[in-house]
Amino acid sequence: MKIPAVAAAFGVRTRLVLAFLLVAAVSAVTTAALTYREARSAVLERAQDTAVASFREEAERFVPGLPLDPAAVRWELFGIAARAKPHPWIVFAEYGSTRVSSGDRPASGVLTAELRRSTRTAPHGAFQRVVKDGEAYLTIGMPVMTRVVAGGRAVPSGLVLYAVMPMADEETDIDALVTAARDGALPGLAVALVPALFAARSVLRPVRELRRAAHSMGGGQLDTRIAVRGRDEMADLARTFNASAARLEHSVQELKDAGARARRFASDVSHELRTPLAGMLAVTDVLDEDAGRLDPDTARAVRLISAETGKLALLVEDLMEMSRFDARVAELNTDEVDAAEAVRRSLSGRQWHDRVVTELPEGARIRLDPRRFDVIVANLVGNALRHGAEPVTVRLSPRADTLVIEVRDHGPGIAEAALPHVFDRFYKADAARSRSSGSGLGLAITRENVRLHGGTVHARNAPGGGALFTVELPLDGLAPHAGRSQNGPDRTEVTA
């Protein structure tokens, strides 16, 4: 599963805080927008209603005598403008072609054709808010009615009064609302940051505890548990983790106990077999000496028993050696030796010197356990001679603070599927070799001996064919990371 790039770029804490602030910002903006809209409508409608009602009263009191006298009308307009509410008006009248104003005319286009049509058809007048050149105006048109005595009803006199009221004060109030909303949003977000941090901390605290507990369990502390607080989802997670950890601890302990019993059994069996095997080997040695005087069938049986007894004795010794490795009690008895001489001595002791090609530069001194180094060389060369093809080559290469030993044969090589398992115990790449002379523990013992020295061993197929085993040992006999005394148990890992 791939984590989105944005999610991966921020931690959970940052994302929680950002989400909290985003919700706070959206809430603040939404509240400010709704408040602004309602307040703006209230401010404009209050001014509009006051102006329209006041102007209607003035128009109803204005009953002209017909025909109109422009000078008299002008004085009446001044009177209406003087009583203007809630702000001063510019009032003017239209009667046919007569145009009379109480002051300066407003900007052209403020009185729209739409307002004029509505005023002429509406007996109670009309109004309109207009923005012209960035300035807001309230325009009101009101027809002046005259009463006809006969019938007592009012009819339009033909005179129309218009009032234009600048709404600069209302716009100033609205701008102040916007400024207040904006200035209040930023401190609100800053204040919201505090509960966001507390909320993130309360949410992440159990997550951090879970991380620490998982890290501790990964380090081997299987008795790690998390304190359960409350009854929410995080508490359920903590309970689930504790239950899983308890089951894992129980399972691992069972596996450890089973492994310890298996190792103890192998060690005990191997130890108990040593004494009877020693007696059997002594008897088979005597029988081997007299086999030439026996009849052919009996001689073959004697030699078969002798060979199988030798294999069994070798297997018992290998099992005891592996049990020492498993119990972490295998020891190193190091000494400074000549690496080339140690290799030659190992090959000569097994009469392999004429079957193996060596490239052994002189003067390579290394501190190691000679006995275990002999086992490493013997197991690798013996494996190459048994399962590869001659010539087998042993090459030493001193490099800085490391000695490299390479053992190569010219056989068919190792199957790719078998490469990861060649150092496993009792593993045999070819099922047909299940009755081979080896115990199946040689390479496993080699790996453990290399690991005791703080080194590594690798297996691969050489480019020109054949298997190539490479051992790297520190020249001082113990790698800096091995972390053990000269004769103490080893805990160094090895790669195969």
Side-chain angles (χ1 to χ4, degrees), residues 378-400:
N379 284 347
L380 292 179
V381 174
N383 182 77
L385 291 172
R386 282 193 303 271
H387 307 305
E390 298 183 24
V392 172
T393 304
V394 178
R395 178 185 294 108
L396 293 183
S397 303
R399 302 175 187 172

Side-chain angles (χ1 to χ4, degrees), residues 27-42 177-178 181:
S27 301
V29 170
T30 303
T31 302
L34 293 175
T35 302
Y36 164 74
R37 187 184 68 177
E38 295 300 323
R40 181 177 183 275
S41 298
L177 288 175
V178 174

Side-chain angles (χ1 to χ4, degrees), residues 116-367:
R116 295 177 186 275
R117 285 194 301 270
S118 300
T119 302
R120 291 190 179 94
T121 57
H124 298 290
F127 62 89
Q128 187 179 38
R129 287 200 295 267
V130 180
V131 177
K132 186 69 173 179
D133 298 330
E135 299 290 336
Y137 298 92
L138 175 65
T139 57
I140 309 170
M142 195 70 61
V144 176
M145 310 298 288
T146 183
R147 296 189 179 280
V148 179
V149 177
R153 58 189 183 85
V155 297
S157 65
L159 175 64
V160 179
L161 300 181
Y162 292 98
V164 177
M165 184 181 74
M167 303 192 74
D169 292 344
E170 285 74 15
E171 290 297 326
T172 301
D173 294 341
I174 293 171
D175 291 341
L177 288 175
V178 174
T179 302
R182 182 192 63 204
D183 293 344
L186 294 178
L189 289 178
V191 172
L193 181 62
V194 176
L197 292 174
F198 278 107
R201 181 181 179 183
S202 63
V203 170
L204 291 179
R205 183 174 56 248
V207 176
R208 286 194 293 268
E209 292 179 357
L210 179 62
R211 182 192 63 188
R212 287 193 292 268
H215 187 269
S216 297
M217 291 190 65
Q221 300 180 16
L222 299 182
D223 58 345
T224 303
R225 299 294 184 270
I226 301 176
V228 180
R229 302 181 183 88
R231 298 183 178 181
D232 57 5
E233 291 80 358
M234 299 307 296
D236 293 339
L237 177 61
R239 279 189 287 268
T240 303
F241 177 87
N242 291 340
S244 301
R247 289 194 295 269
L248 178 62
E249 183 182 16
H250 180 69
S251 300
V252 171
Q253 188 59 45
E254 286 185 341
L255 290 175
K256 287 182 178 179
D257 294 342
R261 288 193 298 270
R263 289 191 295 271
R264 187 165 53 251
F265 174 77
S267 177
D268 292 345
V269 168
S270 300
H271 187 271
E272 292 300 326
L273 286 175
R274 292 187 73 180
T275 301
L277 276 175
M280 292 173 65
L281 285 172
V283 172
T284 55
D285 287 341
V286 174
L287 291 175
D288 274 340
E289 293 177 359
D290 295 336
R293 294 192 295 271
L294 301 175
D295 62 87
D297 290 340
T298 304
R300 281 195 300 271
V302 167
R303 292 189 179 95
L304 178 61
I305 291 173
S306 177
E308 293 300 321
T309 303
K311 290 180 183 179
L312 182 58
L314 178 61
L315 175 59
V316 169
E317 290 296 328
D318 288 346
L319 285 174
M320 292 192 67
E321 184 74 355
M322 291 304 301
S323 67
R324 284 191 286 270
F325 287 126
D326 290 340
R328 301 295 184 184
V329 296
E331 296 181 350
L332 280 179
N333 296 298
T334 62
D335 190 13
E336 186 174 337
V337 300
D338 184 285
E341 182 60 30
V343 172
R344 280 193 291 266
R345 192 162 45 244
S346 178
L347 297 178
S348 298
R350 294 167 179 82
Q351 287 84 42
W352 289 343
H353 54 277
D354 56 348
R355 301 177 61 188
V356 177
V357 178
T358 59
E359 298 179 16
L360 309 174
E362 300 296 335
R365 306 290 295 180
I366 181 172
R367 176 168 288 278

